[in-house]
Amino acid sequence: ADIILWSSGNWASSGLVIPHAAFRGRAFVLAPACEIAAGWRDPVSGLSLAHLHARLTRPRPLPR
């Protein structure tokens, strides 16, 4: 099981790192998290979940 986030910020041990290292790049994690706590800030980047989700899902021009 993965622990994505917790209210006390960061945690690291030999077998567990919180926040999960890849959650910032996973829309399937960020979308429901935003519904619960869009203003919660990632303790590593300082960005809100809403901001992280917007950065990940914003429309981008197609390559030429």
Side-chain angles (χ1 to χ4, degrees), residues 1-2 9 11 15 17 19-20 23-28 30 32-33 40 43-45 47 57-60 62 64:
D2 293 332
W11 172 265
V17 176
H20 188 280
F23 92 93
R24 294 166 201 85
R26 296 179 173 170
F28 70 89
L30 290 170
W40 189 87
V44 175
S45 70
L47 299 173
T57 60
R58 73 175 179 256
R60 294 183 179 101
L62 295 173
R64 292 181 176 212

Side-chain angles (χ1 to χ4, degrees), residues 10 19 23-24 41-49 51-52 55:
N10 297 342
F23 92 93
R24 294 166 201 85
R41 295 207 173 267
D42 170 19
V44 175
S45 70
L47 299 173
S48 70
L49 294 178
H51 192 151
L52 290 168
R55 292 174 85 185

